[in-house]
Amino acid sequence: MERPYVVGISGGSGSGKTQVLSWLQGEVEEENICMFSQDNYYYEKLISSPKEAKAFNFDDPEVIDVQQFARDLGLLKEGRTVYRRDYVFNELDKEGELLAFSPAPIIVVEGIFIFHYSEIWEQLDLKVFVEVKEHLKFQRRINRDMKERGYHLDDILYKYTKQVVPAYEQYIEPYRHLADVIIPNNQAYSKQACPTAVQLLGTFLKSKIK
């Protein structure tokens, strides 16, 4: 297997990185792309109760096992399959599904801090930053945390103002000007029709497949 092409996709919480990943999967054949997320590298047993979960700061780069994250990315680049438990945010007594990440010509690494970690940054061939207006990120964060994680609005407001915004300003936004590609994600697109910027990125990535 030839050396894979590694793409990093970052952006603030609520910027729509997951949607961009979904669009890319539609642009590049499934067998040619591997999606690899920072979210599966939170240290285990960080929290033990729903109350702790509501107060815990997931928007801190120190709560990610970046060394293991970087090692596993290296293994993928070497052509080896990586196994990792899916991190479950809102069901503390549930063990996440065992995920298998198989080598592919294109590896897409996603996460809010991937540009901040030098161990990951140095392994990326292309850096993509997803940019969204602040009020849209906030709306998307509210919708996600209420529907998927069962948080109350007061808890969401606290986390966003005390944790999410400071983390973005310190660990995420400073790398925006270093990105190779910036994808604006302010409009509402259908699941079938992705933005032109993502289509162009998909075309570029397909050109990297030998």
Side-chain angles (χ1 to χ4, degrees):
M1 177 179 175
E2 294 191 24
R3 181 184 178 278
Y5 192 78
V6 185
V7 183
I9 297 183
S10 187
S13 177
S15 60
K17 295 183 298 300
T18 301
Q19 182 63 74
V20 170
L21 294 176
S22 177
W23 282 323
L24 271 182
Q25 285 180 309
E27 295 293 309
V28 181
E29 294 81 1
E30 184 178 354
E31 65 272 16
N32 287 325
I33 192 167
C34 172
M35 301 294 188
F36 196 55
S37 178
Q38 168 201 290
D39 282 357
N40 294 318
Y41 286 85
Y42 283 102
Y43 284 110
E44 295 182 4
K45 299 180 180 178
L46 288 170
I47 51 179
S48 59
S49 70
K51 184 177 180 180
E52 287 184 10
K54 291 177 181 178
F56 188 81
N57 187 3
F58 286 100
D59 293 88
D60 182 342
E62 295 298 323
V63 300
I64 299 292
D65 187 352
V66 64
Q67 300 301 323
Q68 188 61 52
F69 186 24
R71 281 194 293 269
D72 285 353
L73 176 55
L75 292 175
L76 264 179
K77 291 169 62 179
E78 292 173 3
R80 299 169 63 178
T81 299
V82 170
Y83 297 91
R84 189 74 182 178
R85 290 279 176 192
D86 187 21
Y87 191 85
V88 181
F89 285 91
N90 58 341
E91 297 182 60
L92 301 177
D93 57 346
K94 179 180 178 181
E95 186 175 53
E97 177 186 358
L98 183 62
L99 305 175
F101 300 94
S102 301
I106 304 295
I107 299 174
V108 178
V109 186
E110 175 270 333
I112 60 176
F113 298 129
I114 61 169
F115 295 167
H116 176 70
Y117 301 129
S118 60
E119 299 93 333
I120 302 298
W121 173 275
E122 292 168 359
Q123 297 194 59
L124 303 176
D125 298 305
L126 183 73
K127 289 92 173 176
V128 178
F129 193 93
V130 183
E131 184 174 66
V132 179
K133 293 178 180 178
E134 190 64 37
H135 72 279
L136 293 176
K137 287 192 294 184
F138 186 39
Q139 290 174 5
R140 293 169 183 175
R141 176 85 179 205
I142 290 175
N143 291 334
R144 186 200 70 183
D145 283 1
M146 292 185 75
K147 292 179 180 179
E148 298 180 14
R149 301 183 185 177
Y151 294 162
H152 293 296
L153 183 58
D154 288 346
D155 298 319
I156 298 171
L157 290 171
Y158 174 84
K159 279 182 171 290
Y160 198 82
T161 56
K162 301 296 184 182
Q163 300 173 358
V164 176
V165 172
Y168 179 78
E169 293 176 348
Q170 184 174 358
Y171 304 116
I172 303 169
E173 197 277 336
Y175 298 96
R176 176 188 176 279
H177 73 285
L178 298 176
D180 302 299
V181 178
I182 296 176
I183 295 179
N185 192 24
N186 295 307
Q187 299 182 46
Y189 297 93
S190 69
K191 293 182 179 180
Q192 292 75 28
C194 68
T196 301
V198 179
Q199 294 177 18
L200 292 172
L201 178 60
T203 300
F204 172 74
L205 294 181
K206 283 186 283 190
S207 74
K208 294 293 182 180
I209 299 171
K210 306 297 182 181

